[in-house]
């Protein structure tokens, strides 16, 4: 299916607008992460998965009120409790999280929450699940999550180096790093927690953005072989335009799916689906506005230094 026919957009001519857009969101995200680091010691708020704590999922007989639950925990002297509506209100379930400073106090945290609710509510409550993560395990998970993201980027760089040229791999990895940075920046700006499910969403968007970028790169390489006398800028513009229908269809349908998950998925999936919503938008944008222009910028830089062109295009971009 082809949405656009004979498209002739000068994408490279708008590179300075793209650069400003990326700079604004990247800098805003970095500043927000820096403020979080100064305040809480991490660039984004960490969930129980990483900082350690207890999560208790409780089902009530009547529709629960988050303010009443908070009053119950405050009366029991329990501080820093996070309360989230776990599911639709008629299912009467709430997710209550309590960070704990040490591995030894994990079970005590669960007991404190349950005892406080039992004392406050006349009707019996049902504890449907309990998740306990020690601070030591949480730090290990945090380190492993960072390493998983780093190793995936290195593996993709090596793959693209062998399949295309090194500059293709570098441009794709820079674009994916740009996507990850902006997505984490949105988490910092909106004060959302980073959890293992969010890391899974970020790794998903890394793969998604990389796949989108490879499609554009593949068409650029194909057109370079067919049009060796044409300038690289013209080839890149034509390649982006030729893959535009595929990009819009694939990204648009995926975006609608994750948007539905964000709107109707419930509070527990909010952060996960939020990462995918932001990541797909930014990933699609970067495959057009960040990765492809880097090829032209690199070629121009080599030409300005009097070095031979790596990509087989004749004329320097204007």
């Amino acid at each position: 299916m082809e949405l656009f026919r004979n498209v002739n957009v000068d994408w490279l001519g708008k590179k300075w607008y793209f650069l400003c857009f990326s700079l604004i969101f990247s800098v805003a995200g970095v500043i927000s992460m820096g403020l979080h680091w100064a305040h809480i010691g991490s660039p984004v708020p960490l969930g129980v998965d990483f900082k350690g704590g207890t999560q208790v999922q409780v089902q009530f007989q009547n529709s629960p009120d988050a303010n009443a639950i908070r009053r119950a925990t405050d009366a029991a002297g329990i501080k820093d409790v996070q309360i989230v509506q776990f599911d639709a209100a008629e299912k009467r379930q709430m997710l209550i999280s309590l960070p704990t400073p040490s591995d030894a106090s994990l079970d005590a945290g669960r007991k404190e929450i349950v005892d406080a609710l039992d004392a406050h509510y006349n009707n019996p409550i049902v504890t449907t699940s309990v998740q306990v993560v020690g601070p030591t395990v949480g730090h290990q998970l945090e380190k492993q999550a960072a390493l998983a993201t780093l190793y995936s980027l290195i593996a993709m760089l090596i793959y693209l180096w062998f399949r295309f040229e090194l500059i293709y791999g570098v441009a794709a990895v820079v674009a994916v790093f740009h996507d990850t940075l902006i997505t984490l920046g949105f988490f910092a700006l909106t004060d959302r927690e980073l959890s293992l499910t969010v890391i899974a969403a970020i790794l998903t968007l890394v793969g998604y953005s990389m796949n989108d970028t490879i499609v554009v790169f593949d068409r650029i390489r194909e057109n370079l072989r067919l049009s060796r006398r044409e300038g690289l800028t013209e080839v890149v513009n034509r390649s982006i335009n030729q893959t535009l229908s595929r990009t819009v269809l694939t990204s648009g349908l995926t975006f609608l799916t994750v948007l539905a998950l964000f709107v109707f998925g419930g509070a527990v999936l909010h952060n996960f689906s939020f990462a995918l919503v932001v990541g797909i938008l930014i990933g699609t944008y970067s495959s057009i506005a960040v990765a492809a222009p880097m090829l032209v910028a690199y070629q121009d830089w080599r030409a300005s230094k009097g070095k031979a062109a790596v990509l087989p295009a004749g004329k320097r971009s204007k």
Side-chain angles (χ1 to χ4, degrees):
M1 182 177 179
E2 191 172 2
L3 285 180
F4 309 106
R5 293 179 183 273
N6 302 321
V7 182
N8 188 27
V9 179
D10 180 14
W11 299 99
L12 273 296
K14 299 171 178 56
K15 59 188 176 187
W16 296 115
Y17 297 106
F18 294 144
L19 181 63
C20 287
F21 178 85
S22 294
L23 275 178
I24 288 171
F25 282 97
S26 298
V27 170
V30 168
I31 290 175
S32 180
M33 285 190 279
L35 292 175
H36 274 89
W37 188 281
H39 186 61
I40 62 176
S42 67
V44 291
L46 298 178
V48 170
D49 295 342
F50 294 123
K51 64 184 177 185
T54 304
Q55 278 189 335
V56 182
Q57 183 182 329
V58 181
Q59 180 159 9
F60 295 80
Q61 281 203 336
N62 302 314
S63 290
D65 179 11
N67 292 327
I69 295 173
R70 190 168 296 283
R71 285 196 295 272
T73 54
D74 287 346
I78 307 173
K79 304 297 181 186
D80 300 327
V81 174
Q82 295 180 3
I83 302 167
V84 177
Q85 181 84 42
F86 181 73
D87 212 329
E90 60 271 17
K91 293 188 178 179
R92 308 181 305 279
Q93 295 194 54
M94 300 292 275
L95 187 67
I96 303 168
S97 305
L98 176 65
T100 48
S102 67
D103 293 338
S105 59
L106 291 173
D107 191 60
R110 178 196 62 78
K111 190 172 183 306
E112 283 180 6
I113 293 172
V114 174
D115 288 348
L117 296 178
D118 279 336
H120 186 78
Y121 287 91
N122 294 325
N123 297 321
I125 60 171
V126 177
T127 304
T128 54
S129 74
V130 177
Q131 182 185 2
V132 176
V133 180
T136 305
V137 175
H139 290 311
Q140 289 176 349
L141 291 174
E142 184 181 354
K143 181 180 177 182
Q144 289 172 348
L147 288 176
T149 307
L150 178 63
Y151 291 155
S152 66
L153 291 177
I154 293 174
M156 290 175 186
L157 173 63
I158 294 173
Y159 168 73
L160 288 174
W161 186 359
F162 280 100
R163 183 174 170 184
F164 295 90
E165 298 280 350
L166 178 59
I167 181 57
Y168 284 98
V170 172
V173 168
V174 169
V176 168
F177 180 77
H178 159 277
D179 303 340
T180 307
L181 179 66
I182 290 182
T183 303
L184 289 176
F186 269 96
F187 266 73
L189 287 168
T190 54
D191 206 27
R192 291 175 179 273
E193 283 189 349
L194 190 70
S195 64
L196 282 177
T197 55
V198 173
I199 293 297
I202 290 175
L203 288 175
T204 301
L205 78 89
V206 165
Y208 184 89
S209 174
M210 188 63 73
N211 181 63
D212 221 22
T213 303
I214 287 174
V215 170
V216 177
F217 281 177
D218 202 41
R219 183 57 61 93
I220 291 174
R221 183 175 61 172
E222 183 180 321
N223 285 334
L224 283 173
R225 289 171 178 165
L226 297 173
S227 311
R228 288 180 174 270
R229 293 185 178 181
E230 196 174 7
L232 183 58
T233 300
E234 289 76 16
V235 172
V236 170
N237 272 331
R238 184 153 52 85
S239 302
I240 294 173
N241 288 327
Q242 288 173 346
T243 55
L244 195 60
S245 290
R246 179 264 175 203
T247 301
V248 171
L249 276 173
T250 307
S251 302
L253 291 174
T254 310
F255 176 75
L256 289 177
T257 304
V258 296
L259 184 63
L261 190 66
F262 177 71
V263 174
F264 303 110
V268 172
L269 293 176
H270 256 180
N271 289 347
F272 171 78
S273 51
F274 180 78
L276 289 175
V277 166
V278 174
I280 286 174
L281 285 175
I282 298 298
T284 305
Y285 157 81
S286 71
S287 64
I288 295 174
V290 177
M294 278 192 66
L295 300 179
V296 180
Y298 179 70
Q299 188 87 312
D300 289 349
W301 176 79
R302 288 186 65 88
S304 69
K305 298 293 182 183
K307 298 182 179 180
V310 172
L311 305 175
K315 296 181 290 185
R316 185 182 173 187
S317 63
K318 297 177 181 178

